[in-house]
Amino acid sequence: MAANLGRKVVLTWGGAAVPGVREKGVAINGEPIDITSDDDNGWRTLLDEPGERSVDISISGVTKSQLFLADLFAGTTQKPVTLTYPNGAVLSGTFHLASTSDTLPYKEAQTFEASLQSTGVVTFTPAQ
């Protein structure tokens, strides 16, 4: 796989690209189920199917809109999210806006952070 520039990975919230994003982080979790018993002689044994799968996305950037703040106060906390990589790979699903925050420094650019949590199935389509 070729390396990617982070700035070329596009994140959309409800079909619209989120303006001002600088950094994106993706954490994919497959929570294991411990099925260890006396039969395992003290060695942990995990079921080969996760108990819960989840994807968490964190983003931050320069505030160019108040999209997340407006949606949070309007109660619109779940929307389709798509991450499109420059090589054509796509991660998509419905995500819950878990939190958003603004930083308002005296002589610097206003910045934001947001945390998105998957709800339901998330798909990953590899690059062709």
Side-chain angles (χ1 to χ4, degrees):
M1 181 178 118
N4 289 310
L5 277 173
R7 70 175 179 253
K8 292 190 175 186
V9 177
V10 177
L11 181 130
T12 64
W13 168 253
V18 178
V21 175
R22 283 186 175 168
E23 296 182 7
K24 302 152 217 89
V26 179
I28 302 165
N29 183 35
E31 185 178 307
I33 298 173
D34 189 337
I35 58 170
T36 307
S37 68
D38 290 347
D39 301 330
D40 298 310
N41 294 319
W43 287 97
R44 176 179 59 195
T45 304
L46 301 175
L47 192 63
D48 61 354
E49 183 176 335
E52 180 178 276
R53 294 179 182 159
S54 63
V55 177
D56 294 334
I57 298 175
S58 59
I59 60 172
S60 64
V62 176
T63 303
K64 293 188 175 183
S65 81
Q66 294 182 317
L67 174 72
F68 290 126
L69 194 59
D71 279 350
L72 200 59
F73 276 98
T76 310
T77 57
Q78 293 187 4
K79 287 189 175 181
V81 168
T82 303
L83 270 176
T84 305
Y85 293 83
N87 65 2
V90 176
L91 183 139
S92 62
T94 300
F95 282 75
H96 177 80
L97 176 58
S99 67
T100 188
S101 64
D102 285 325
T103 303
L104 310 158
Y106 175 66
K107 291 174 53 178
E108 302 286 333
Q110 178 180 347
T111 60
F112 76 95
E113 293 181 355
S115 175
L116 307 171
Q117 298 175 343
S118 63
T119 177
V121 175
V122 175
T123 60
F124 177 73
T125 306
Q128 297 297 326

